[in-house]
Amino acid sequence: MKYVDEFRDATLARGLAHAIAAEARSHRDYHLMEFCGGHTHAISRHGIQDLLPPNIRLIHGPGCPVCVLPIGRIDSAIALALDHGVILCTYGDVLRVPASERLSLLKAKAAGADVRMIYSSLDALRIAQENPDREVVFFAIGFETTTPPTAAIIRQAKAMEVKNFTVFCNHVLTPAAIRRILDSTAAPEEGIGGAEGVRLDGIIGPSHVSTVIGSRPYEFVAEEYQRPVVIAGFEPLDVMQSILMLIRQINAGRAEVENEFIRAVSRDGNPKAQSLMAEVLETRPAFEWRGLGTIPHSARRINAAYGDFDTERRFSIPYRAVADHKGCECGAILRGVKEPRDCRLFGTACTPENPVGSCMVSSEGACAAHYTYGRYRDYRDAGSTRKAVND
Ligand code: SF4
């Protein structure tokens, strides 16, 4: 397929693998975090870790939108559907995220709640128009990639004067999460992780998010934290080229924001999408993330001008923070300090068919990606030894 096959070429991949092996210095390790869940999926799917020397370790970050949604937010959505009797519309993966009391939106639906899976924000507005006697709530989640469609549908609902439609806005901000991760890591020269963080030498930057916000918002990573960032496309050659670019920066002692994904990402991003978001949404003072805790200025909510379409203003849904299942390691995995195979529930009590934590729900979740593509391998000590484990 044109524009895809070129970025999956095996000969080019082998060439990049040789270049990475040649340029990675044998006397040191390289700890690189892929922030985005799309990259986690691509790395697992295409076996990219297998193509790297053992001293290059890829660490999964918190960039899977379903994974970082805390249980309290799912509980609020369930309360809207069960207690307030709304038609609750959301994307498919969200329906299966485990909530409190062994519930999920899917189980709430089985118990009689009117929960509907949609493919786009437009579907939710259409459902509201088709059901004028019912309150319809769009449970909106995701990073900056999915935020503009949410802003667009709110603006459209206002223009069309749809009175029975609101949005439960849970959109989160990538740079704030990167800062939280970096605040918990040691400086590169210290060589080890911080008290609770992972050691991090460089970041593979998100691709879709960056098409919206551009590369400029990552510049603080290089300037304040002295870590290189390379924004990468989602295809395997994109990821491998980005790893090579990071190795070169690290070897040269450089910390810059570089852009491998130049076919879609610019420094300033998409100004139309940004102005649409600015018109409808504002930054929350703080927001709870699964695994990362409460992070200041890390999410968006609907602003006063569009307040009539804000679910949190129309309904009383007090927020309650809820701890993860006690055996689930999602929090540590989202911080990069553990891997899926470190969880004793992985592949036993917790599978994609029966997820215990959010990281096993979406294909972008680290646990689901490992289970689907790499469950027979164990990378727990990728820095020195790599052993295959028969399941
Ligand atoms: Fe959580 Fe399941 Fe992953 Fe364990 S395997 S960390 S329970 S999602």
Side-chain angles (χ1 to χ4, degrees):
M1 191 192 307
K2 187 145 177 67
Y3 304 125
V4 173
D5 290 347
E6 298 94 319
F7 296 95
R8 297 181 180 181
D9 184 276
T11 305
L12 291 176
R14 274 192 291 274
L16 278 168
H18 284 132
I20 291 168
E23 298 200 29
R25 294 177 179 162
S26 56
H27 65 273
R28 63 157 297 165
D29 291 338
Y30 299 83
H31 291 216
L32 311 178
M33 173 177 277
E34 88 275 3
F35 181 89
C36 177
H39 286 137
T40 299
H41 183 221
I43 287 164
S44 295
R45 179 180 180 193
H46 298 289
I48 290 173
Q49 180 75 70
D50 290 347
L51 300 173
L52 304 177
N55 60 333
I56 299 178
R57 182 182 167 207
L58 299 179
I59 300 161
H60 309 312
C64 156
V66 169
C67 304
V68 295
L69 200 63
I71 288 176
R73 289 273 156 186
I74 307 283
D75 285 353
S76 297
I78 290 173
L80 282 164
L82 282 176
D83 303 337
H84 295 275
V86 309
I87 300 176
L88 192 105
C89 304
T90 194
Y91 302 122
D93 281 344
V94 184
L95 299 182
R96 302 194 307 119
V97 179
S100 296
E101 299 168 12
R102 295 178 168 271
L103 268 178
S104 65
L105 281 164
L106 208 55
K107 289 177 181 168
K109 181 179 175 71
D114 196 343
V115 176
R116 304 191 190 183
M117 187 183 82
I118 56 171
Y119 292 98
S120 85
S121 53
L122 268 174
D123 290 344
L125 186 59
R126 177 182 49 76
I127 290 169
Q129 290 174 292
E130 291 170 354
N131 296 271
D133 300 330
R134 301 279 308 278
E135 285 286 342
V136 174
V137 172
F138 171 39
F139 183 19
I141 73 146
F143 287 89
E144 292 89 338
T145 320
T146 50
T147 309
T150 297
I153 208 66
I154 293 168
R155 196 167 68 170
Q156 189 168 340
K158 184 172 186 178
M160 296 169 68
E161 299 183 356
V162 180
K163 303 291 185 198
N164 61 325
F165 176 73
T166 59
V167 173
F168 183 28
C169 183
N170 292 271
H171 286 292
V172 289
L173 299 168
T174 300
I178 292 179
R179 185 180 286 280
R180 171 55 61 92
I181 293 276
L182 288 168
D183 281 341
S184 67
T185 64
E189 63 274 13
E190 293 176 47
I192 55 169
E196 56 181 38
V198 67
R199 176 185 144 190
L200 214 57
D201 300 313
I203 294 176
I204 300 171
S207 40
H208 287 160
V209 161
S210 305
T211 63
V212 175
I213 67 173
S215 63
R216 192 193 295 268
Y218 308 109
E219 289 173 3
F220 76 93
V221 178
E223 289 164 8
E224 295 179 37
Y225 294 89
Q226 297 299 303
R227 305 300 211 286
V229 178
V230 175
I231 294 162
F234 276 135
E235 294 302 325
L237 295 190
D238 288 318
V239 178
M240 294 185 70
Q241 176 67 34
S242 303
I243 291 169
L244 180 59
M245 291 165 74
L246 281 171
I247 298 292
R248 285 176 175 165
Q249 282 207 50
I250 294 165
N251 286 348
R254 289 188 288 122
E256 299 168 12
V257 177
E258 294 183 322
N259 181 12
E260 183 277 339
F261 198 33
I262 51 172
R263 61 191 187 276
V265 172
S266 64
R267 185 165 183 240
D268 291 323
N270 182 332
K272 275 191 181 172
Q274 291 167 16
S275 84
L276 177 60
M277 291 188 287
E279 178 189 330
V280 176
L281 306 171
E282 64 186 17
T283 304
R284 290 178 186 267
F287 191 83
E288 187 196 355
W289 295 56
R290 192 187 296 249
L292 303 184
T294 299
I295 308 178
H297 312 300
S298 66
R300 287 192 170 99
R301 66 185 177 192
I302 299 167
N303 65 26
Y306 288 88
D308 288 348
F309 299 90
D310 186 353
T311 303
E312 291 173 88
R313 293 176 199 233
R314 189 170 301 186
F315 299 97
S316 169
I317 40 171
Y319 183 73
R320 185 172 67 96
V322 180
D324 284 347
H325 184 290
K326 60 179 175 2
C328 175
E329 300 282 7
C330 274
I333 290 168
L334 290 166
R335 292 192 299 277
V337 297
K338 289 196 176 181
E339 298 187 22
R341 290 297 297 240
D342 294 328
C343 176
R344 61 190 170 82
L345 305 182
F346 177 82
T348 55
C350 184
T351 63
E353 291 74 33
N354 183 31
V356 174
S358 60
C359 298
M360 192 59 98
V361 173
S362 162
S363 63
E364 294 191 357
C367 297
H370 271 244
Y371 186 87
T372 305
Y373 299 112
R375 61 182 298 208
Y376 301 106
R377 300 185 186 92
D378 186 351
Y379 296 125
R380 255 177 287 192
D381 191 8
S384 54
T385 56
R386 193 183 294 183
K387 58 180 179 176
V389 176
N390 290 328
D391 196 318

mmCIF file of all heavy atoms in Angstrom, residues 328-330 333 343 345-346 350 356-357 359-360 367, ligand 1:
data_model
loop_
_atom_site.group_PDB
_atom_site.id
_atom_site.type_symbol
_atom_site.label_atom_id
_atom_site.label_comp_id
_atom_site.label_asym_id
_atom_site.label_seq_id
_atom_site.Cartn_x
_atom_site.Cartn_y
_atom_site.Cartn_z
ATOM 1 N N CYS A 328 -2.904 -4.928 40.487
ATOM 2 C CA CYS A 328 -2.637 -4.348 39.161
ATOM 3 C C CYS A 328 -1.450 -3.388 39.223
ATOM 4 O O CYS A 328 -1.383 -2.527 40.092
ATOM 5 C CB CYS A 328 -3.885 -3.623 38.666
ATOM 6 S SG CYS A 328 -3.657 -2.732 37.111
ATOM 7 N N GLU A 329 -0.543 -3.500 38.267
ATOM 8 C CA GLU A 329 0.655 -2.654 38.226
ATOM 9 C C GLU A 329 0.551 -1.544 37.189
ATOM 10 O O GLU A 329 1.560 -0.979 36.776
ATOM 11 C CB GLU A 329 1.891 -3.521 37.915
ATOM 12 C CG GLU A 329 2.170 -4.616 38.912
ATOM 13 C CD GLU A 329 2.828 -4.095 40.177
ATOM 14 O OE1 GLU A 329 2.944 -2.858 40.323
ATOM 15 O OE2 GLU A 329 3.228 -4.920 41.011
ATOM 16 N N CYS A 330 -0.670 -1.246 36.744
ATOM 17 C CA CYS A 330 -0.837 -0.232 35.693
ATOM 18 C C CYS A 330 -0.150 1.084 36.048
ATOM 19 O O CYS A 330 0.492 1.708 35.197
ATOM 20 C CB CYS A 330 -2.317 0.046 35.442
ATOM 21 S SG CYS A 330 -3.077 -1.070 34.266
ATOM 22 N N ILE A 333 3.495 0.812 35.510
ATOM 23 C CA ILE A 333 3.770 0.658 34.070
ATOM 24 C C ILE A 333 3.619 1.995 33.358
ATOM 25 O O ILE A 333 4.437 2.360 32.510
ATOM 26 C CB ILE A 333 2.837 -0.425 33.471
ATOM 27 C CG1 ILE A 333 3.239 -1.803 34.001
ATOM 28 C CG2 ILE A 333 2.887 -0.397 31.946
ATOM 29 C CD1 ILE A 333 2.236 -2.898 33.713
ATOM 30 N N CYS A 343 3.819 -7.797 36.303
ATOM 31 C CA CYS A 343 2.537 -7.939 36.999
ATOM 32 C C CYS A 343 2.172 -9.419 37.093
ATOM 33 O O CYS A 343 2.123 -10.116 36.080
ATOM 34 C CB CYS A 343 1.454 -7.172 36.254
ATOM 35 S SG CYS A 343 -0.174 -7.404 36.990
ATOM 36 N N LEU A 345 -0.573 -10.705 37.538
ATOM 37 C CA LEU A 345 -1.866 -11.018 36.934
ATOM 38 C C LEU A 345 -1.794 -11.104 35.410
ATOM 39 O O LEU A 345 -2.734 -11.550 34.755
ATOM 40 C CB LEU A 345 -2.901 -9.944 37.320
ATOM 41 C CG LEU A 345 -3.086 -9.681 38.813
ATOM 42 C CD1 LEU A 345 -4.173 -8.632 39.024
ATOM 43 C CD2 LEU A 345 -3.455 -10.971 39.537
ATOM 44 N N PHE A 346 -0.663 -10.687 34.843
ATOM 45 C CA PHE A 346 -0.520 -10.613 33.383
ATOM 46 C C PHE A 346 -0.698 -11.990 32.737
ATOM 47 O O PHE A 346 0.005 -12.952 33.055
ATOM 48 C CB PHE A 346 0.856 -10.061 33.013
ATOM 49 C CG PHE A 346 1.116 -10.009 31.527
ATOM 50 C CD1 PHE A 346 0.631 -8.954 30.774
ATOM 51 C CD2 PHE A 346 1.827 -11.017 30.882
ATOM 52 C CE1 PHE A 346 0.863 -8.894 29.407
ATOM 53 C CE2 PHE A 346 2.056 -10.970 29.513
ATOM 54 C CZ PHE A 346 1.579 -9.911 28.777
ATOM 55 N N CYS A 350 -5.563 -11.536 34.218
ATOM 56 C CA CYS A 350 -5.793 -10.360 33.366
ATOM 57 C C CYS A 350 -5.425 -10.653 31.916
ATOM 58 O O CYS A 350 -4.259 -10.927 31.613
ATOM 59 C CB CYS A 350 -4.984 -9.176 33.900
ATOM 60 S SG CYS A 350 -5.292 -7.641 32.996
ATOM 61 N N VAL A 356 -8.189 -6.637 34.005
ATOM 62 C CA VAL A 356 -8.284 -6.210 35.399
ATOM 63 C C VAL A 356 -7.911 -4.732 35.506
ATOM 64 O O VAL A 356 -8.443 -3.994 36.328
ATOM 65 C CB VAL A 356 -7.364 -7.068 36.296
ATOM 66 C CG1 VAL A 356 -7.347 -6.538 37.728
ATOM 67 C CG2 VAL A 356 -7.812 -8.528 36.272
ATOM 68 N N GLY A 357 -6.991 -4.300 34.667
ATOM 69 C CA GLY A 357 -6.575 -2.900 34.665
ATOM 70 C C GLY A 357 -6.714 -2.293 33.282
ATOM 71 O O GLY A 357 -6.920 -3.003 32.291
ATOM 72 N N CYS A 359 -4.539 -0.943 31.291
ATOM 73 C CA CYS A 359 -3.473 -1.171 30.300
ATOM 74 C C CYS A 359 -3.709 -2.431 29.476
ATOM 75 O O CYS A 359 -2.982 -2.689 28.517
ATOM 76 C CB CYS A 359 -2.115 -1.263 30.987
ATOM 77 S SG CYS A 359 -1.633 0.231 31.841
ATOM 78 N N MET A 360 -4.690 -3.242 29.863
ATOM 79 C CA MET A 360 -4.995 -4.460 29.106
ATOM 80 C C MET A 360 -6.222 -4.259 28.207
ATOM 81 O O MET A 360 -6.653 -5.179 27.520
ATOM 82 C CB MET A 360 -5.228 -5.620 30.086
ATOM 83 C CG MET A 360 -5.278 -7.000 29.475
ATOM 84 S SD MET A 360 -3.786 -7.477 28.578
ATOM 85 C CE MET A 360 -2.915 -8.458 29.804
ATOM 86 N N CYS A 367 0.122 -3.509 28.346
ATOM 87 C CA CYS A 367 -0.170 -4.906 28.674
ATOM 88 C C CYS A 367 -0.852 -5.607 27.498
ATOM 89 O O CYS A 367 -0.500 -6.743 27.155
ATOM 90 C CB CYS A 367 -1.042 -4.987 29.926
ATOM 91 S SG CYS A 367 -0.219 -4.318 31.383
HETATM 92 FE FE1 SF4 B 1 -3.001 -4.176 35.322
HETATM 93 FE FE2 SF4 B 1 -3.611 -6.381 33.935
HETATM 94 FE FE3 SF4 B 1 -1.517 -4.947 33.211
HETATM 95 FE FE4 SF4 B 1 -1.482 -6.350 35.469
HETATM 96 S S1 SF4 B 1 -1.583 -7.187 33.401
HETATM 97 S S2 SF4 B 1 -0.769 -4.255 35.171
HETATM 98 S S3 SF4 B 1 -3.615 -6.176 36.122
HETATM 99 S S4 SF4 B 1 -3.649 -4.275 33.175
#
